[in-house]
Amino acid sequence: AKQDGGNTLRFFAPEMQAHTRRSLELASGLKHATAHGELFLVFQPQCALDSGALTGAEALLRWRHPQWGLVSPAEFIPIAEQSGTIVAIDLWVLEHAALQLRAWDAQGLPELVVAVNVSAAQFGRPQFVEEVLATLQRVGVAPQRIEMELTEAVALKQPEQAEITIRKLHAAGFRVALDDFGTGYSSMSYLKRYAIDKLKIDQSFVRDLAEQGSDQAIVTAIIRMAQSLGLRTIAEGVETAEQAQLLQAYGCDEMQGYWYSRPLEPQAFAAFAQRHRSS
Ligand code: C2E
Ligand code: CA
Ligand code: CA
Ligand code: CA
């Protein structure tokens, strides 16, 4: 196959090699990223659509690589999932989100809930719930302050096991949100079976909300379904006032997106929270 690849191969090979080299170096770099202090969290504010009050934040992971600078989680999370380092990284995220909550509490910020992303590899571990509880206990933060964001892919990989794990999370006091909702294959029956609190409407439905009738139909259907199941809704990727107004009119509870705020480093988040205190 090498020979008959001919010019095509010669044309693409260097680029592919560079890509593979970067992936390999990222994979090995990730093993030390936590110990070397290269990872940090940013926090994106979430707000109530009716009052505009700050309701919480999503913790989003950032990696400052010594050579390549800031690497996007969209690139390194899949690599961490393939190499298995994601389990340690997810726990690092939970611990540091909890440490940040304690620091904000000490600064007198209003008590917020922080959402963290849970990967399939972490969620599928038999000791998952015990591990996260032990981590929070060590830091001294109650599970009520943490929202676990699962994707449909994560939740539906092993539906029976997922149902049990979500119940355990709930019993321990965590909130559970279904992330990127509408992009997977979830059915009404799963939504009813799982002890989910919140649906996060995927940003792909929000992006063209003002222009696309089909997106309006999908988003209103999701909100109506959530309401009839007693679930809260949050729209992600809200970038314009028009999108926020439409979502509010549809009865969506909360929003997250650049229009309200970009993800912020802890200091900037604290300042934002002080400005957006509900009086
Ligand atoms: P996600 O969970 O769907 O996170 C939302 C992404 O949308 C974030 O990208 C956020 O910065 C971005 N975003 C927020 N508002 C807007 C907006 O108004 N417009 C647009 N265009 N984008 C917006 P980010 O931080 O690059 O993260 C990408 C993905 O990486 C996340 O998607 C999540 O799947 C994964 N990820 C991030 N942090 C973690 C983590 O700590 N653990 C795990 N397992 N995955 C993570
Ligand atoms: Ca998320
Ligand atoms: Ca999402
Ligand atoms: Ca996403």
Side-chain angles (χ1 to χ4, degrees), residues 44-215:
Q44 188 170 32
Q46 302 174 331
C47 77
L49 266 161
D50 52 4
S51 65
L54 178 71
T55 53
E58 178 178 8
L60 293 160
L61 189 56
R62 298 290 179 263
W63 182 18
R64 203 183 310 279
H65 191 280
Q67 282 153 264
W68 283 302
L70 220 49
V71 184
S72 163
E75 181 178 14
F76 73 76
I77 293 288
I79 295 172
E81 281 170 342
Q82 277 165 28
S83 59
T85 43
I86 190 68
V87 174
I89 288 173
D90 273 356
L91 269 179
W92 182 93
V93 169
L94 179 76
E95 182 179 7
H96 285 78
L99 285 166
Q100 192 57 63
L101 272 173
R102 283 205 49 178
W104 284 332
D105 287 352
Q107 291 169 35
L109 252 67
E111 284 212 354
L112 295 165
V113 172
V114 168
V116 297
N117 291 283
V118 179
S119 68
Q122 199 205 12
F123 184 75
R125 284 158 65 79
Q127 63 275 53
F128 166 62
V129 180
E130 287 71 25
E131 262 172 5
V132 298
L133 280 173
T135 302
L136 289 185
Q137 199 155 27
R138 188 152 31 83
V139 178
V141 163
Q144 283 76 8
R145 307 284 303 278
I146 303 288
E147 184 167 88
M148 298 284 185
E149 289 196 6
L150 313 173
T151 62
E152 295 170 85
V154 167
L156 292 174
K157 219 170 187 182
Q158 291 179 299
E160 277 78 28
Q161 196 50 52
E163 189 183 348
I164 295 167
T165 306
I166 293 171
R167 273 189 206 294
K168 271 206 239 171
L169 285 173
H170 235 241
F174 292 99
R175 293 205 213 162
V176 180
L178 212 46
D179 200 0
D180 301 345
F181 189 77
T183 59
Y185 302 93
S186 52
S187 67
M188 296 269 275
S189 66
Y190 279 117
L191 283 182
K192 229 182 87 178
R193 255 173 71 185
Y194 290 158
I196 301 273
D197 302 287
K198 202 194 246 186
L199 298 184
K200 278 196 103 167
I201 301 168
D202 190 68
Q203 54 190 53
S204 61
F205 304 114
V206 176
R207 196 170 302 130
D208 304 316
L209 193 63
E211 297 82 31
Q212 289 281 340
S214 55
D215 287 337

